[in-house]
Structure formats: C-alpha cells, structure tokens
Amino acid sequence: MISVPDRTPLAKIPLNRLAIIALIIGIGTGLFVAALKLSTIWVERVVYGADHLHNQNQIAQTSPLRLAITLVILGFVSSWAWFFVHRPSRRSSHGPASKAENGDQNGDQASPTEVSVVGAMRGEKMPFYRTVVSAFLQSITVAAGAPVGAENAPRIAGSWVAEKFSSSLQLDLEAKRILVAAAAGAGLGASFHLPLAGVLFTLEVLLAEATTRAVVISIITTAAAVATTGYFVDTPDVYNAVSLTESPGIMLAAPIVGAIAGLGGHWFSRAANKAAAAAPKGSKILWQMPLGFAGIAAVAYLYPTSVANPRWVADTMLSGGLVFSVIILLLVLRTVLFLVAFRVGMVGGNLIPAFALGALVGGGVGKLLEPLTGVPVAAFALLGAAAFLAATMAAPLFGLIAAVEFTDMEPQGYLSIFVAVAAAIIVVRLWLVITQGKQAIPVTYASWTGELK
C-alpha cells in the first residue's frame, strides 16, 4: 500500500465536493470514450466500408479473401505495436518505479498491468503513453477484426482520467480508489450506453461495496460520462427486444438454460484465463501473434461469420434466426478464435463476445427444448446470454442488468432473467465445491485483462 501523507481523508471530504469532482471526472471520461469510439468508427469505415452504428455486421460486404488478408496484416502490425507498448520502461534505471509503470524487470511482457484499473485503485500511477496508446490500440484492433471485446479500453480510459485528476487534487488513497473505480465503470457504461450496468460494475465488481459515497459518486460519474459520450457519438440501436413473461414455460426454461449457460460461462472464463497466462513474453509476440492471426484468417476465409461482429451474432439469436447446426459451429469457432487471440497476446475484453456466446448457448438449448416448453428460441437465447455473461464476469447483478438494458426489456421479463442468473451462479458454486472444494466464486473477469495483478 502506498503511503500518502498530508492528504485529506475521504471521511473529511464533503460529499458535495466529491460530487463535483465526480462530475468533472465523468465528463473527462466521456470525452476520452467518445474519442475511442470515433476512432473505432473511422477504422471500420476505412477497413470494411461500414461501421457498427449503421451495420451490425460491417464485414458482410467484404470478400473472404480481403477479410483474410486484413486479419493477416492486423496480426503482423499488432504484434509490433503491442511489443513496443509492453516494453519495460527505460526510466527504471533512474530510480524506483512501480511494476505497473516499468513492466517486468527481467524483460518479460508487462501485459496490460501497466494500465491496470485495480493498480490505479491501489494508488499506482497510470503512465500517459502506455495508457493512452493501449486504449486506442485495443479499440483500433477490435475495429479491424480482432475477435475480442472492446470494453477494456473505455475502462482504462476512465480510470486514467480519474487517477490523474484525483492525484492533481492530492486526494487520499481511499478517495482515489472510489473515483478510479467509478470512472472505470463509467467508461464501460458510456461505451455501450449502459448507465445502470456501469454503476453496478463499479459497485459489484471493482469496489465490492455500496456505501452512500460510493453509490452517489458512481451514479454521478457514470451519468456524466454516458451523457458526454452520447453528445458526440450516436448511440447504436439496442438488440432485438425479446418478450419474456412469467408463464410456466419460461419459468421452467429459465433455471435450465441458466444452469447450462452458467457453467459454459465459467468454463469459458477459465479457458480465457489460461490462454492469457500463456500469452507470449517479450519478442516472442512478434512471431506468435502473426502466426495466430494467420490461423484466424484461414478460418475467416472458409467461414467469414466466425469473425462477424458479436453484436450481430447475438441479435440474430435474439430473433431466433439460426439453425441448430450453425449455432453449434459458430459457438465452437468463435470460442476457439477468441481464445487464440488472447493466447497470442491480443488485449481486450469479453463483454460483447460473452453475451454473444451465451445467446448461442441459450439458443442451442432452445432449439432442443422449444417443442417441449413452447418457449420461443429467442427467449432461451436472452436467458442464456444473461446467465453466461454473469458467470463469465462473476457479476450476477451486472450480467442481468446489462441484458435488461441491452434489450430495453419490459418489467414482466425481469423475474425470469433473475431466475436464470441465480441458477447460473448457484450451479457454478456447486461445481466449484464438488470439483475444488471452493466455497466462493472467483472474480475472473479481469484475470486476462491484467486488472487483478
């Protein structure tokens, strides 16, 4: 823990002053996220001639050959970009510095720890170059076709704004911890226009507390960030609305698909954790990432839908639009490509990919059980998406609220979503008790983004 002398303790800072600080940080976060989103849109238009605001599957008009060549080039260019971002800082020879600043002193890849959200919450300084370049690099690579999620970039963007601003005001470590966490959640909320989910991400995942100060600061920061980003960048359409009710069929389907998707999400998170842990160190990334993306390109050439925007995949499942064989093929291919990308050193998130995989799992279960339950496949897909996401991120409240906000769900559908997510978490807990003797579900969402270092 870093000692910070002569700074005002959080308990002595008036809540109204903290609210003003949170508002300023939220606006700064919103501006940073807007810049990230605009860069994403620009890259999508340059590379594919379409962007996700107007076409959920922006690669639809791209030939398989061009798509494959694009991914090969992306792997080569990204390998050099991440190599330079992860290089140990030369400033380490001039005095002590945190590991987050300098990286591994043995020359190993620093991974994303140099821009860690949790590291900033602990008082570590987030370097300007590494943080800004990493955030934009993540957004650009995902826009160009990397099969990973883009939500890690806005999280570190928000945490960087909060860390710098709170340090300039010489706030104590506890105040900085809450402000950094609130800004990280605000960045996520602003990126996807999920204000409530952004607040819950802060409280449930990062802070694991719900004090009055934490709640107020999180709400103000997220509201300011979402509003600011929305002013500069159009909000993409939400997913297809799915009609959920409290009918016996849906209430029976909810725990079944929740349990299956929950286990799937847990196993997916463990596999992603292992893939990231085995990511190349140092100069190894210069050949492993191009090689891995050559493999991704080969799969994309043969089956372009395997690298289609996960928003399109989820939205298609929420309209029940895929046959069972295609669901299984997409589920396998997209999971493998996601893991390969992390294994070869790509940095990103998992929110939208996990939501899409959960929709595929739920839709697959629905194809089998629809004749017995009378519940539409789209309902199974939504229940599966919420349960899978909640288990993947070990955040049940965040998972279910994200599903609600993504689809503009009507209140009569809340209960079935609650049941599905509860079933997912309970089954995962039982699985861990049986197989490992563990009583608690580990927070795994950040294991492969470097936020638990």
Side-chain angles (χ1 to χ4, degrees):
M1 189 68 71
I2 297 177
S3 175
V4 185
D6 301 326
R7 295 191 177 183
T8 306
L10 176 65
K12 294 184 179 180
I13 302 176
L15 184 57
N16 56 355
R17 182 190 173 196
L18 281 176
I20 295 174
I21 295 172
L23 178 64
I24 296 172
I25 289 174
I27 293 172
T29 297
L31 291 172
F32 200 156
V33 173
L36 292 174
K37 290 181 70 65
L38 289 172
S39 69
T40 296
I41 293 168
W42 180 79
V43 170
E44 289 173 340
R45 290 174 179 173
V46 169
V47 176
Y48 298 112
D51 61 72
H52 70 278
L53 293 180
H54 304 95
N55 190 335
Q56 285 192 342
N57 185 14
Q58 58 266 31
I59 70 169
Q61 304 303 318
T62 304
S63 69
L65 179 60
R66 179 184 173 185
L67 177 61
I69 293 173
T70 299
L71 290 170
V72 170
I73 296 173
L74 175 63
F76 175 77
V77 174
S78 297
S79 67
W80 281 95
W82 284 118
F83 171 73
F84 284 112
V85 170
H86 291 324
R87 282 196 311 171
S89 172
R90 294 180 180 178
R91 296 192 330 184
S92 60
S93 61
H94 300 289
S98 67
K99 181 179 179 181
E101 177 84 13
N102 293 325
D104 191 324
Q105 299 305 311
N106 292 324
D108 286 347
Q109 174 185 329
S111 192
T113 49
E114 65 268 352
V115 289
S116 166
V117 173
V118 174
M121 291 171 61
R122 293 170 178 163
E124 298 175 4
K125 294 184 179 297
M126 301 185 76
F128 176 86
Y129 165 77
R130 293 180 188 272
T131 305
V132 174
V133 172
S134 178
F136 277 101
L137 185 55
Q138 290 180 48
S139 295
I140 290 171
T141 52
V142 172
V148 297
E151 82 279 1
N152 190 51
R155 285 201 304 251
I156 64 173
S159 61
W160 178 80
V161 171
E163 188 274 319
K164 295 306 178 188
F165 192 72
S166 57
S167 293
S168 68
L169 296 178
Q170 294 190 328
L171 300 180
D172 74 306
L173 189 57
E174 179 61 15
K176 180 182 290 188
R177 184 181 73 90
I178 294 179
L179 289 168
V180 167
L188 185 150
S191 182
F192 299 101
H193 203 78
L194 302 176
L196 183 53
V199 172
L200 286 174
F201 182 86
T202 297
L203 301 176
E204 182 182 25
V205 178
L206 294 176
L207 292 177
E209 67 178 61
T211 62
T212 300
R213 286 175 180 264
V215 171
V216 171
I217 292 171
S218 299
I219 291 175
I220 293 174
T221 309
T222 301
V226 172
T228 302
T229 299
Y231 181 81
F232 292 98
V233 185
D234 292 337
T235 302
D237 294 334
V238 296
Y239 294 102
N240 280 322
V242 177
S243 179
L244 294 179
T245 66
E246 299 177 12
S247 67
I250 290 182
M251 296 308 296
L252 175 63
I256 297 174
V257 70
I260 296 172
L263 282 175
H266 172 68
W267 292 332
F268 171 70
S269 70
R270 288 178 60 87
N273 191 17
K274 292 180 179 179
K281 307 293 191 290
S283 59
K284 292 181 180 179
I285 197 173
L286 297 177
W287 66 268
Q288 290 193 22
M289 184 171 286
L291 181 62
F293 268 77
I296 293 173
V299 175
Y301 177 78
L302 297 173
Y303 197 68
T305 308
S306 62
V307 293
N309 193 322
R311 289 183 62 94
W312 173 83
V313 174
D315 204 48
T316 302
M317 288 308 306
L318 294 179
S319 61
L322 294 174
V323 300
F324 185 76
S325 59
V326 173
I327 291 174
I328 299 303
L329 179 61
L330 271 180
L331 181 62
V332 173
L333 289 180
R334 295 188 71 90
T335 301
V336 170
L337 296 187
F338 181 94
L339 297 177
V340 168
F342 272 107
R343 171 59 183 81
V344 299
M346 187 56 66
V347 179
N350 68 335
L351 194 159
I352 301 299
F355 192 83
L357 291 176
L360 289 170
V361 171
V365 175
K367 290 290 185 180
L368 298 177
L369 297 184
E370 182 183 20
L372 301 177
T373 63
V375 177
V377 171
F380 276 96
L382 180 54
L383 294 170
F388 193 100
L389 179 61
T392 298
M393 303 186 76
L397 287 176
F398 173 82
L400 66 89
I401 293 301
V404 168
E405 289 190 297
F406 270 143
T407 59
D408 276 350
M409 185 184 299
E410 296 293 331
Q412 62 265 26
Y414 293 175
L415 183 58
S416 56
I417 286 283
F418 292 173
V419 171
V421 170
I425 299 303
I426 290 173
V427 169
V428 171
R429 184 182 294 271
L430 289 175
W431 172 262
L432 291 173
V433 170
I434 293 172
T435 59
Q436 302 177 26
K438 294 182 178 180
Q439 298 296 320
I441 299 174
V443 177
T444 56
Y445 90 94
S447 300
W448 56 92
T449 62
E451 293 176 356
L452 293 184
K453 300 296 182 181

